Amino acid sequence: MSFYDTLTRLEQLPYGRVWKQYTALDVKRALRLEQLDEDGLMALLSPAAEPYLEEMAQKAHRLTRTQFGHVMQLFTPMYLADFCVNHCTYCSFSSIYDFPRKKLTLDEVRREAEAIAATGLRHILILTGESRNESPASYVKDCVKVLRSYFSSVSIEVNPLTTEEYADLRQAGVDGLTLYQEVYHQETYRQLHVKGPKRVYRNRLDAPERGCLAGFRSVNIGALLGMYEWRQEALATALHARYLQDKYPECEIGLSIPRFRPYLGDFNPASDVTDRALVQIILAYRLFLPRSGISLSTREPAALRDHLVHLGITKMSAGVSTEVGGHTLEGGTPQFEISDSRNVDEIIEMLEAKGLQPVFKDWDILDDSLAMP
Amino acid sequence: MQDPLVIGGVTLTSRLFIGTGKYSRNTLIPEVIARSGSQVITVALRRVDPESKDNIVTHIPSHMTLLPNTSGARTAEEAVRIARLAKSAGLGNWVKIEVINDQKYLLPDNTETIRATEILAAEGFVVLPYMSPDLSAALRLKAAGAAAVMPLGAPIGSNRGLQTKELIRILIAETGLPIIVDAGIGRPSEAAEAMEMGASAVLLNTAIATARDPLLMAEAFREAVSAGRNAFLAGLGPVEETAAASSPLTGFLA
């Protein structure tokens, strides 16, 4: 069984009626539960929960502090290449846009790594556009070999790969996989992904599971919020995470909450995700999955990020550039516009002022020479 | 009264072991150490960064015995590699084995823990394995060379107290090893109860790190552990189902 079966069942629900059937009593009941089930999760995502955001926040805050303490893990993305063979209607890297594309040489990767490592960051998420020709798994692997000397954790956000390719990258030192479904609603997915291999919905949907099978220590999933009705997308994301967590208990399943941001084109998303909606999603995720990490990117503005750090967030990006080689080279095209352009020191200052400890290192890439006899 | 706890050749006068995670700032650590009176502190190697300006180890006073842990390990092999890394990083030869395969409840994998203990004890490490309280597993850990065993009172970070009390009681009675209750203790009274039962020590982190006033809580735990230990040494009075009259009514029959 794949998560696709659950998704198919969900898509048959008459959501127009379903969300309205939840009442304040259902929300209160869900808030009392120690372990939320699917119905409790839906209650917390429903319109009936909107007046209860503060109560949800208090519980989410308590759960987060107990499970994760007063710490916030920091990481930054590093863009290796922006070649892409897909045409997605919401992304600057789409193949229809004409701009000088780049792919870092290994020397450029090293310089970029030195610049990022100098800020103190030890966890990195490497990204590429989706092109098996320009940035194949073998290229990513070569880059990882360089990056291992600079970082204690390297995660990837690249096109979906096979289980064998993931396992090969894990052997090379990659410990985490991030892969967003972008949109779970199948018809919308078909409309937004006009051309290219990304159109194959199941290949993307099942990729996080392939990452679990390949033995990644962490797998991070998410929906690009705004592409379709947010309650349904958040529900699908959370249930996908629970599915993976139940089936692969050894893997840390994390969630991200990216909202649509301006990019090169003029596509406007179908669903407006307000700040209140974003908060409701984060809180529902935390109450449904108390042990899961929740990542907050610089897509969100500084002032909002400062408030969200107390609501269930456990990981934040800092010192971000969404351009290939954005820390050492000039003239790149950002994948999307970021909202929080503070550098690492400024993020540290903010976290400390809020009584939180920034954590730069939370894993070691294990040296094979120290393996058991 | 002299009542030392000797583990791995080190004599300890405090029976409260503490952790370094979850604090709002690392600079709290030396203050917590001072107020708790603790002499053993566990640190996750995964958090140690010698190149960092705020390396967690630099906040630990030199008189402390470091207990690096293998947090993050999912297999015996990973735990062994982490322990060796810790030793080569100069963190000493004590190690708390943590092998956790279950990311939902963070429960330890006893089988993998035994495998890692066998290897590391043979290499001369002072091994303190974190475990689910199971007598057979504890005896295998003893045979594998564990210096003590660390059964959980409740899942890590839960502050739920001594949910496994009866099983810990059996380990105390049957293993002949120091039993250090680890994980789950949320209140000083629960630490005192573990010590009253005959535990050799307790290890906790969340209860202090997430308290509103961590320093005052550290002090409260110091006193509770000490009180519990004293009660154990003093010998608790028997618990009777019925009232025991101090002036018996049938004494004349003797």
Side-chain angles (χ1 to χ4, degrees), chain A residues 143-154:
Chain A
C143 293
V144 171
K145 285 179 189 163
V146 173
L147 295 168
R148 282 184 65 143
S149 325
Y150 296 91
F151 301 103
S152 63
S153 168
V154 179

Side-chain angles (χ1 to χ4, degrees), chain A residues 34-35 65-71 119-120 122-123 149-150 152 170 216-218 242 245-246 248-253 291-292 345 348 352 355-373, chain B residues 20-26 45-54 56 70-74 76-82 84-85 88 100-106 115-116 119 123 156-160 206 209-211:
Chain A
E34 198 162 294
Q35 177 87 57
R65 290 295 162 260
T66 309
Q67 294 291 341
F68 297 89
H70 303 275
V71 298
T119 66
R122 294 289 177 266
H123 284 208
S149 325
Y150 296 91
S152 63
R170 188 180 68 80
F216 284 125
R217 302 180 50 74
S218 64
R242 171 69 68 82
Q245 192 179 65
D246 288 345
Y248 304 95
E250 70 284 1
C251 187
E252 276 175 30
I253 306 299
R291 280 280 321 148
S292 287
D345 285 342
I348 292 170
E352 289 178 346
L356 292 167
Q357 182 190 160
V359 167
F360 296 87
K361 176 179 176 292
D362 195 28
W363 182 240
D364 279 293
I365 295 172
L366 295 175
D367 186 344
D368 292 337
S369 68
L370 295 168
M372 284 176 10
Chain B
T20 47
K22 298 189 174 180
Y23 286 102
S24 57
R25 53 186 167 90
N26 283 337
L45 184 74
R46 62 198 247 168
R47 284 272 168 90
V48 175
D49 182 4
E51 291 167 29
S52 162
K53 286 176 283 188
D54 191 36
I56 200 163
T70 64
S71 160
R74 314 266 160 95
E77 183 180 41
E78 287 189 348
V80 166
R81 287 155 89 178
I82 294 168
R84 290 172 181 166
L85 274 173
S88 63
I100 292 176
N101 254 315
D102 150 48
Q103 299 307 308
K104 197 190 273 186
Y105 300 102
L106 297 181
R115 286 211 305 134
I119 292 164
E123 289 181 14
I156 292 176
S158 67
N159 283 349
R160 285 171 190 267
T206 305
T210 63

